[in-house]
Amino acid sequence: RALVEIDCGDGRGGVDPNGDLFVQIGTALGDRLEGVLTHAGHSYACRDVECIRQVAEQERSTAVSAAERLRSAGLTCETVSVGSTPTMRHAESLAGVTEMRPGVYMFGDLFQAEIQSCTREDIAVTVLASVIGRRIDENRILLDSGALALSKDRSTGVTSRDAGYGLVLDIDGRAAFGECVIDRVSQEHGIAISDVSLPFDELGVGVKVRVAPNHSCLTAAAYDRYYVVDGGREVVDTFDRVNGW
Amino acid sequence: RALVEIDCGDGRGGVDPNGDLFVQIGTALGDRLEGVLTHAGHSYACRDVECIRQVAEQERSTAVSAAERLRSAGLTCETVSVGSTPTMRHAESLAGVTEMRPGVYMFGDLFQAEIQSCTREDIAVTVLASVIGRRIDENRILLDSGALALSKDRSTGVTSRDAGYGLVLDIDGRAAFGECVIDRVSQEHGIAISDVSLPFDELGVGVKVRVAPNHSCLTAAAYDRYYVVDGGREVVDTFDRVNGW
């Protein structure tokens, strides 16, 4: 069973739902045709909720119209699948849609907070890091979380609140150090700076902090498991990841 | 046994080799003092060989002077460790140095080629990718290599030959498609464009290509093994990686 991918405006993959090829593929699939699939990745270019709502409606209407086109050609189209986290969050109607495939919504991240898919307080995945150096006169700390631990995703670089390579929180996940961001990374190191004077008495070498990521999908993919906490510091469970291809 | 890290100008980690703290740490280590270590990461900001040579000499002289300072204080300093791939490649003298720790030099990458640590033809690690979509009228292909497969490292973005998220080569590692670069990535997808008309008759869906990375260290870290070829297409060995912390 197969879905035919259509392009609803993102310009990444999928065929033109108004072109001849689309119906030809559906016809060629015959009994294997399950439905249509699209992904409104262009919702990530939005900077306000109204824009996301418009993209969500474009995604929905394109997918539903494409499904109708297959049905009008005498083909079955059981699945009408759409998906992106911003459109999932802000769609006003999902009429005709049978499946949604948002990904990052389950964790959120700094970029999703900037485009109002969640708040910073909602972010449910962080990287546990240790202070490994301090430059008190320069108001910065060195962490053992660099490009490997965080990824080089710089999603927030295009938003009004650029969080560098990640936002440094205290061990309990609180924004206790001001707008404290990872300003520079190398493979294993991250240099964090802040818009307030850092409390160096609380940030000795070896102290653990948490770093909220720009993009949870890419950061989480660097690890083979999640250590689950439930409001405290105790690890209450371990979830394995499925990585690789 | 421990090395004392000193800062030779990179401003990332390490103590000031001319400050009091440096000798205090060496003294406190006592019998555990093995030597000094530094890393001239600022060599990556160079854009020509003369600049790299100057940074290499700064790295060497800072480390050797720091070692002498420990010895003058009656301490032993057996190891004088320096390292960065550009300075390894272009250092004119390593007098007094006992160890060099270059990393990416063993593979090279597009960024190292731009700063003359290697040539593009020297790059010894590539990502095997498949064509999964084509937009012939837009002269672009879609590959199954995106941010996960390549990393979001954009090192070449500051050089004169910006290779996007990677340079697309043919299955034999040849630059057969012009300056064909991954212009845009999402988690699993990469869109490749070129400065020449792409040979779509050779680039059908399913065709395999190779992508040279911006930064081998970060790209290679996404995988748990290397498939080794030796001038041909046959895999002659598999090397496991050590990942994680």
Side-chain angles (χ1 to χ4, degrees):
Chain A
R1 306 279 283 175
L3 302 171
V4 184
E5 185 180 358
I6 56 169
D7 184 2
C8 68
D10 187 32
R12 182 179 73 182
V15 296
D16 177 1
N18 300 310
D20 293 336
L21 186 60
F22 170 55
V23 178
Q24 286 167 16
I25 293 171
T27 304
L29 282 167
D31 289 345
R32 288 183 295 146
L33 179 63
E34 169 72 28
V36 294
L37 168 147
T38 194
H39 181 254
H42 51 313
S43 64
Y44 284 76
C46 288
R47 293 293 170 272
D48 61 66
V49 170
E50 185 48 40
C51 171
I52 296 173
R53 285 189 185 129
Q54 289 173 18
V55 173
E57 178 53 23
Q58 180 191 28
E59 179 185 41
R60 185 200 71 81
S61 64
T62 304
V64 171
S65 299
E68 285 303 323
R69 200 170 162 224
L70 291 181
R71 291 171 190 142
S72 298
L75 301 166
T76 56
C77 184
E78 291 176 21
T79 297
V80 181
S81 180
V82 301
S84 87
T85 290
T87 56
M88 190 278 310
R89 177 73 177 78
H90 294 295
E92 294 189 301
S93 166
L94 291 172
V97 167
T98 68
E99 177 182 81
M100 215 164 185
R101 314 176 319 280
V104 66
Y105 88 108
M106 81 172 180
F107 285 144
D109 55 32
L110 294 168
F111 179 74
Q112 294 294 332
E114 286 305 290
I115 61 171
Q116 302 182 55
S117 293
C118 65
T119 69
R120 281 186 167 187
E121 290 68 35
D122 292 329
I123 298 171
V125 65
T126 55
V127 172
L128 188 66
S130 296
V131 177
I132 58 170
R134 308 165 355 141
R135 297 266 171 120
I136 294 174
D137 55 335
E138 296 173 29
N139 196 43
R140 65 177 168 92
I141 53 175
L142 187 68
L143 299 178
D144 64 351
S145 57
L148 280 178
L150 300 170
S151 90
K152 276 202 167 175
D153 199 290
R154 288 280 293 110
S155 301
T156 62
V158 295
T159 72
S160 58
R161 206 154 52 151
D162 184 348
Y165 294 91
L167 180 70
V168 182
L169 310 171
D170 72 7
I171 184 67
D172 295 309
R174 292 175 302 216
F177 311 123
E179 190 75 3
C180 183
V181 302
I182 309 280
D183 181 56
R184 181 178 148 201
V185 292
S186 42
Q187 193 83 343
E188 310 269 9
H189 297 74
I191 291 175
I193 59 174
S194 178
D195 61 351
V196 302
S197 292
L198 288 170
F200 284 99
D201 51 335
E202 300 168 25
L203 290 169
V205 168
V207 164
K208 288 198 161 31
V209 295
R210 289 163 67 167
V211 184
N214 268 284
H215 185 185
S216 289
C217 300
L218 206 54
T219 302
Y223 301 87
D224 58 4
R225 79 204 70 158
Y226 304 119
Y227 293 104
V228 183
V229 292
D230 187 13
R233 297 183 190 183
E234 189 191 353
V235 174
V236 297
D237 207 348
T238 305
F239 293 173
D240 287 337
R241 271 185 61 88
V242 177
N243 280 329
W245 291 265
Chain B
R1 305 280 281 175
L3 302 171
V4 183
E5 185 180 359
I6 56 170
D7 183 1
C8 68
D10 187 32
R12 181 179 76 182
V15 296
D16 176 1
N18 300 311
D20 294 336
L21 186 61
F22 170 55
V23 179
Q24 286 167 14
I25 293 171
T27 304
L29 281 168
D31 288 346
R32 287 182 296 147
L33 179 64
E34 168 73 27
V36 294
L37 168 148
T38 194
H39 182 254
H42 51 314
S43 64
Y44 284 75
C46 290
R47 292 292 171 273
D48 61 67
V49 169
E50 185 48 41
C51 171
I52 296 172
R53 284 187 185 133
Q54 289 173 17
V55 172
E57 177 54 23
Q58 181 191 29
E59 180 184 42
R60 186 201 71 82
S61 64
T62 305
V64 171
S65 299
E68 285 304 322
R69 199 169 164 226
L70 291 182
R71 290 170 189 143
S72 298
L75 301 167
T76 57
C77 183
E78 290 176 22
T79 298
V80 181
S81 180
V82 301
S84 86
T85 290
T87 57
M88 191 276 313
R89 177 74 177 78
H90 294 295
E92 294 190 298
S93 166
L94 291 173
V97 166
T98 67
E99 176 182 81
M100 220 169 179
R101 313 176 319 279
V104 67
Y105 88 108
M106 82 172 179
F107 284 144
D109 55 32
L110 294 168
F111 179 74
Q112 294 295 333
E114 286 306 290
I115 62 171
Q116 303 182 54
S117 293
C118 65
T119 69
R120 281 185 167 188
E121 290 68 36
D122 293 328
I123 298 172
V125 65
T126 54
V127 171
L128 187 67
S130 296
V131 177
I132 57 170
R134 305 158 6 132
R135 297 267 171 120
I136 294 173
D137 55 337
E138 297 173 29
N139 195 42
R140 64 178 169 93
I141 53 175
L142 187 67
L143 299 178
D144 64 351
S145 57
L148 279 178
L150 301 169
S151 90
K152 276 202 165 174
D153 199 292
R154 287 280 294 107
S155 300
T156 61
V158 296
T159 73
S160 57
R161 206 154 51 150
D162 185 348
Y165 294 91
L167 181 70
V168 182
L169 311 170
D170 72 7
I171 184 68
D172 295 310
R174 292 176 302 218
F177 310 122
E179 190 75 3
C180 184
V181 302
I182 310 279
D183 181 56
R184 181 178 148 201
V185 291
S186 42
Q187 194 83 345
E188 310 269 9
H189 297 73
I191 291 175
I193 59 175
S194 178
D195 61 351
V196 301
S197 292
L198 288 170
F200 284 99
D201 51 335
E202 301 168 26
L203 290 169
V205 169
V207 164
K208 289 199 160 31
V209 295
R210 289 164 67 166
V211 184
N214 268 285
H215 185 186
S216 289
C217 300
L218 206 54
T219 302
Y223 301 87
D224 59 4
R225 80 205 69 159
Y226 303 119
Y227 292 104
V228 183
V229 292
D230 187 14
R233 298 182 189 184
E234 187 192 354
V235 174
V236 297
D237 206 348
T238 305
F239 293 172
D240 287 338
R241 270 185 61 88
V242 177
N243 279 329
W245 291 267

